[in-house]
Amino acid sequence: MTVKEYFEWAVKNGAVDLYTLIMFLVYEKKALSFADTKDKLLYYMQDKYKNAMSKYLTEYKIKLNIHYKPTVYEIATKNLSYSTIYVVAVNEKQATSFAFSQGYLPSDISICDEDTLMTKANKKAEEINIPLKDLRDQSEEIPSFLGGF
């Protein structure tokens, strides 16, 4: 695969760190081109460069105003009120911390398929099925609580 193919895959799949790394190396440092092979990209992903690259990419994301897309997490809890809750967060750590802050004791966590339907009741007590991606996109605050059972 070429660097361009990795970049396109990363953008399509929301792999923020990967596409930011590629942009940084192609546009900022001019160390790669989109025609290069994956071997040249993998060179910069070695453990010995991890700390320096992390610092550069954090600064580059701030410069370009690049943010992680929120994800819906399903969190199994040890609580009596809800055994499973759904939280919108930018990463697993934020989702877990938010669950704790809301009084839930997480026991397991996983990323939800954004096309999964969640059933809600409207004011007339009618059931409405809404895709998780729509609920995620309607969240005004991150992190936020979507519901549970």
Side-chain angles (χ1 to χ4, degrees):
M1 284 180 77
T2 65
V3 170
K4 180 181 179 186
E5 291 169 323
Y6 273 99
F7 179 75
E8 290 170 347
W9 179 90
V11 169
K12 181 181 175 188
N13 292 284
V16 175
D17 291 332
L18 179 57
Y19 75 69
T20 303
L21 172 65
I22 293 170
M23 289 172 55
F24 178 74
L25 292 171
V26 170
Y27 297 122
E28 194 77 13
K29 292 297 180 185
K30 300 191 186 324
L32 293 179
S33 77
F34 282 116
D36 287 333
T37 63
K38 74 174 183 179
D39 297 334
K40 289 188 177 182
L41 176 60
L42 292 175
Y43 174 81
Y44 294 96
M45 298 171 87
Q46 295 178 66
D47 283 342
K48 64 182 178 180
Y49 299 123
K50 185 177 180 179
N51 290 339
M53 277 301 185
S54 180
K55 180 181 176 232
Y56 292 140
L57 293 181
T58 298
E59 292 170 1
Y60 195 61
K61 283 184 244 180
I62 292 168
K63 176 181 174 182
L64 296 181
N65 200 24
I66 296 173
H67 301 283
Y68 292 100
K69 184 177 181 179
T71 304
V72 178
Y73 290 89
E74 180 179 273
I75 303 173
T77 72
K78 295 179 180 180
N79 292 62
L80 297 176
S81 57
Y82 292 122
S83 61
T84 302
I85 62 171
Y86 295 88
V87 172
V88 178
V90 294
N91 57 43
E92 188 174 308
K93 182 178 180 180
Q94 185 184 52
T96 303
S97 297
F98 182 74
F100 273 117
S101 76
Q102 299 301 302
Y104 295 98
L105 183 60
S107 61
D108 192 29
I109 186 167
S110 61
I111 294 175
C112 295
D113 178 355
E114 63 183 22
D115 293 322
T116 300
L117 297 177
M118 181 176 266
T119 303
K120 293 181 74 174
N122 64 11
K123 293 179 182 178
K124 298 177 184 177
E126 300 168 327
E127 290 186 351
I128 302 170
N129 293 318
I130 303 171
L132 286 177
K133 66 181 164 197
D134 291 349
L135 292 172
R136 175 201 64 207
D137 295 344
Q138 293 169 9
S139 296
E140 294 180 10
E141 292 183 24
I142 307 298
S144 63
F145 182 79
L146 290 182
F149 63 90

